[in-house]
């Protein structure tokens, strides 16, 4: 259900981007919101992944990591939502292959977020004992997908802003 909702919101964002012709003042405001949402979302993702790394290095317990990161998910979703809304107002050029790749990365990041939320619950069930290897692999894959998706979208956004 959450996957379908994510896909629907993403599709609506793309549709709005195709329909909306924002003036200079609205584009400037949208750019500010886009950058602020990027800082919020990506900064929180970096924090969550850093805490996961601390756990893997034995510097934090799984319980500490889960307790610390649980409330941070709302910040990631707020940042991502802000970026989708403001990005639609910025009017991405869908004729550019790079823009289409960026939109795909945004969808990938959002779907990975749904997966990460479910993974968080699964890890919480095993926080007192030995964590199953499959959950470790899922966690590592989720972190890699997250980093590639966020940084790929940022890089493409930066390159598109230069043209």
């Amino acid at each position: 259900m959450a996957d379908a909702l994510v896909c629907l919101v993403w599709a609506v964002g793309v549709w709005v981007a195709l329909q909306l012709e924002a003036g200079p003042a609205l584009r400037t405001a949208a750019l500010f919101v886009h950058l602020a949402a990027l800082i919020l979302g990506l900064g929180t993702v970096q924090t969550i992944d850093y805490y996961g790394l601390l756990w893997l290095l034995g510097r934090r317990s799984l319980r500490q990591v889960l307790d610390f990161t649980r409330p941070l998910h709302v910040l990631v979703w707020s940042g991502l939502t802000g970026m989708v809304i403001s990005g639609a107002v910025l009017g991405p050029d869908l004729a550019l292959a790079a823009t289409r790749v960026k939109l795909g990365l945004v969808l990938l990041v959002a779907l990975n977020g749904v997966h990460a939320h479910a993974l968080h619950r699964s890890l919480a069930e095993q926080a007192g004992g030995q964590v199953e290897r499959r959950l470790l692999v899922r966690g590592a894959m989720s972190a890699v997908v997250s980093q590639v998706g966020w940084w790929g979208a940022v890089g493409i956004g930066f390159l598109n802003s230069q043209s």
Side-chain angles (χ1 to χ4, degrees), residues 29-45 74-87 90 109 150 154:
L31 181 59
F32 178 81
V33 170
H34 204 67
L35 293 173
L38 171 65
I39 292 166
L40 178 64
L42 181 56
T44 307
V45 164
V74 70
L75 297 177
V76 175
W77 285 109
S78 297
L80 189 56
T81 301
M83 289 184 68
V84 168
I85 293 168
S86 60
L90 289 172
V109 163
W150 278 94
V154 167

Side-chain angles (χ1 to χ4, degrees), residues 66-147:
L66 294 172
D67 288 346
F68 178 79
T69 60
R70 182 179 299 112
L72 298 179
H73 292 267
V74 70
L75 297 177
V76 175
W77 285 109
S78 297
L80 189 56
T81 301
M83 289 184 68
V84 168
I85 293 168
S86 60
V89 174
L90 289 172
D93 184 357
L94 296 178
L96 297 174
T99 300
R100 294 190 305 271
V101 169
K102 179 182 177 181
L103 291 173
L105 289 172
V106 169
L107 179 59
L108 179 68
V109 163
L111 291 171
N112 187 60
V114 172
H115 171 265
H117 185 72
L119 179 60
H120 192 276
R121 284 193 312 267
S122 296
L123 286 168
E125 292 171 1
Q126 296 187 7
Q130 186 70 18
V131 176
E132 295 176 18
R133 182 174 178 82
R134 69 177 179 82
L135 290 180
L136 292 174
V137 170
R138 281 178 55 197
M141 288 175 46
S142 181
V144 168
V145 166
S146 178
Q147 292 297 320

